[in-house]
Amino acid sequence: MTMTFTASARRVADAASLVPGGVNSNFRLGISPTPLVIARGEGPYLHDIDGNRLIDYYLGMGPMILGHNPAEVIDAVRRQLDYGLLFAAQSEIEYQAAALMNRLVPCAERVRFSCSGSEVVQAAIRLARAATGRATILKCEGHYHGWFDNVVWSVAPPAADMGSVDAPAHVPASPGLDPKAGDSVDVVVWNDLARLETRLRKGDVAGLIMEPIMCNQNVIMPDAGYIEGVRRVCSETGTILIFDEVITGFRVAPGGAQSLLGVTPDLAVFGKAIANGLPVAAIAGRADLMDLMVTRRVMHGGTYNAHPLGMAATVATLTALADGSVHDRIAVRGRRLMEGFQTILRNRQVAGRVQGLPQVFHVTLGVRDPIHNYRDQVNADKAAYVRLTTALLGHGVRALERGAWFLSLAHDDAVIDATIEAFDHAVAEALV
Ligand SMILES: Cc1ncc(COP(=O)(O)O)c(C=O)c1O
């Protein structure tokens, strides 16, 4: 059976006279065959306004690790509603959330909450500059740290614009950026310790920010010794090491990538899975750095910071994730899904690669060899992949066009089986 999406297409087109493109984030623009209009979420499913029930692997772009309507999170938010909405003061629930983070996340001696990953990245950058008195922020090619002017550089540069490996170009990801914002950010290729070391030895970098497991362009594990080397060189050069765990945090392990990899950054930022769908983000890190917000009044503000509803969701979510059993259960099913996809690609003789972790992995077409950094996959067959996700949607499976697959606890064995079957049909239709 192939599903149709005409009601969504019509509604989005109509709404474009009111809302640019009919969508409220540029990442929702131009999805094939149409951006969807959703009526409700339930477990692993989304129900759209065409009446389709879709197995969802977007999971809100990552947050919904417990599924779309986990009782413990919904109940906690409902209970919190009875106490009022916003206090511009402290409440016990935010201290509980901070204590949970402190228990789970190795670097989290101190914690502050905000509402989006983009915001807490800015807080981390400001702390790094204040702590070191240096201006330059170093980021890695292909990594995404939010949509603000000083970090949306070389996020997904076309091959022709990337520049050399020794001096990657600064490629703006949007028109309208402050051209000067690019002056204080420098770009290195990821998973290359020698080049990073050469750059950091110049001694002018305030902070190095990276996704410790690269999840925005592909899902790429650090090579053996790389992250340990990054930690050592940052310490030796007085560079603040910032892990952007907005995707990996609470998703790949209760303590995030830093606990999985056994390397502790100076600062780390979190979002997405922290509150299973409520708009919560956090910055966590070394006490002496975080306390600069007090001792030197390094500015971190926000009307909605530590919003009580978000904090209730955070406590419920982190409590559910704390012992790691959710991750273990997702891992078994995620591995089955990854193996199922790889087998189908092999049997149908489609060049493609499935790599990453079972809680978040990536399918790349047109590439067979292991992918170590952005450049290894820049020439992947993205058009073919969009054909594949379009066909998958017709078979009731919603997966990101960029290749990522997010899993939740609600994706049970039957859902995994149905997905593998749909994948086989979609590959046959779109790629063979
Ligand atoms: C690694 C990473 N950092 C930061 C962000 C920005 O977070 P937000 O969209 O909550 O502003 C994202 C969003 O996808 C992300 O993946």
Side-chain angles (χ1 to χ4, degrees):
M1 186 193 66
T2 305
M3 296 175 178
T4 56
F5 302 90
T6 46
S8 275
R10 207 174 313 120
R11 191 70 190 99
V12 170
D14 288 350
S17 62
L18 193 61
V19 175
V23 301
N24 273 290
S25 160
N26 272 36
F27 296 106
R28 300 175 199 161
L29 264 180
I31 307 282
S32 172
T34 170
L36 298 180
V37 182
I38 301 300
R40 71 190 168 89
E42 180 189 28
Y45 302 113
L46 290 177
H47 296 261
D48 70 11
I49 62 166
D50 280 277
N52 299 313
R53 189 184 77 168
L54 306 165
I55 302 175
D56 184 36
Y57 290 93
Y58 272 64
L59 293 181
M61 305 295 266
M64 324 299 292
I65 190 164
L66 299 172
H68 277 289
N69 58 348
E72 62 270 56
V73 179
I74 307 266
D75 290 348
V77 173
R78 272 207 190 105
R79 276 196 305 276
Q80 189 64 34
L81 274 171
D82 289 338
Y83 296 104
L85 294 176
L86 189 66
F87 314 130
Q90 290 48 252
S91 60
E92 198 48 48
I93 193 90
E94 72 200 59
Y95 297 141
Q96 286 175 28
L100 272 163
M101 282 200 57
N102 171 267
R103 178 153 74 83
L104 296 177
V105 177
C107 81
E109 292 174 1
R110 299 277 192 279
V111 184
R112 278 266 182 107
F113 293 105
S114 285
C115 299
S116 74
S118 298
E119 278 177 85
V120 282
V121 163
Q122 297 304 311
I125 286 175
R126 187 170 290 169
L127 282 174
R129 289 196 172 120
T132 59
R134 303 171 182 170
T136 304
I137 296 297
L138 197 59
K139 80 171 288 285
C140 301
E141 194 173 70
H143 293 218
Y144 177 70
H145 304 296
W147 60 281
F148 295 159
D149 280 28
N150 57 352
V151 283
V152 278
W153 297 83
S154 299
V155 171
D161 300 342
M162 289 186 312
S164 75
V165 226
D166 288 313
H170 293 57
V171 184
S174 169
L177 300 186
D178 175 359
K180 291 208 185 71
D183 294 349
S184 62
V185 62
D186 216 347
V187 181
V188 283
V189 291
W190 192 66
N191 241 345
D192 184 330
L193 188 59
R195 286 190 171 86
L196 176 71
E197 182 153 8
T198 304
R199 179 63 192 85
L200 287 182
R201 295 266 171 229
K202 290 185 186 165
D204 63 328
V205 176
L208 166 64
I209 185 164
M210 67 166 60
E211 298 178 66
I213 296 168
M214 182 172 171
C215 292
N216 265 291
Q217 304 289 328
N218 230 284
V219 176
I220 311 177
M221 297 300 288
D223 289 341
Y226 175 69
I227 287 285
E228 294 79 357
V230 167
R231 174 66 279 179
R232 175 183 53 77
V233 179
C234 282
S235 299
E236 286 171 10
T237 56
T239 308
I240 305 299
L241 177 58
I242 305 164
F243 279 177
D244 183 340
E245 296 232 40
V246 169
I247 289 182
T248 53
F250 311 109
R251 170 160 285 282
V252 301
Q258 56 190 273
S259 67
L260 200 66
L261 302 171
V263 171
T264 304
D266 301 305
L267 295 170
V269 294
F270 296 85
K272 299 201 189 264
I274 192 172
N276 207 81
L278 273 282
V280 176
I283 172 167
R286 265 170 44 196
D288 62 316
L289 294 174
M290 293 289 289
D291 283 345
L292 292 175
M293 293 178 186
V294 182
T295 54
R296 291 188 41 217
R297 292 288 195 273
V298 174
M299 168 99 73
H300 167 241
T303 301
Y304 299 111
N305 287 1
H307 192 285
L309 296 182
M311 291 297 96
T314 301
V315 170
T317 305
L318 297 191
T319 303
L321 296 179
D323 71 3
S325 59
V326 167
H327 301 87
D328 293 345
R329 286 161 71 189
I330 296 176
V332 174
R333 297 177 189 145
R335 262 184 230 114
R336 208 154 67 73
L337 198 58
M338 292 173 77
E339 282 161 19
F341 289 176
Q342 194 72 71
T343 303
I344 289 166
L345 292 176
R346 195 173 42 244
N347 289 348
R348 293 206 176 264
Q349 298 182 341
V350 173
R353 196 173 161 76
V354 183
Q355 74 170 49
L357 294 166
Q359 297 88 5
V360 52
F361 64 85
H362 198 279
V363 180
T364 315
L365 295 179
V367 175
R368 284 188 208 269
D369 295 333
I371 295 163
H372 296 279
N373 63 28
Y374 176 74
R375 291 180 184 226
D376 286 349
Q377 52 86 69
V378 70
N379 290 320
D381 193 345
K382 297 199 168 107
Y385 197 78
V386 173
R387 289 204 307 279
L388 177 63
T389 53
T390 309
L392 271 168
L393 198 61
H395 288 279
V397 173
R398 182 178 185 243
L400 269 84
E401 290 187 348
R402 72 171 168 82
W405 290 71
F406 291 104
L407 267 80
S408 87
L409 185 62
H411 290 70
D412 62 15
D413 285 327
V415 167
I416 300 297
D417 288 338
T419 306
I420 292 173
E421 195 182 326
F423 192 86
D424 195 33
H425 288 303
V427 168
E429 270 169 41
L431 304 178
V432 177

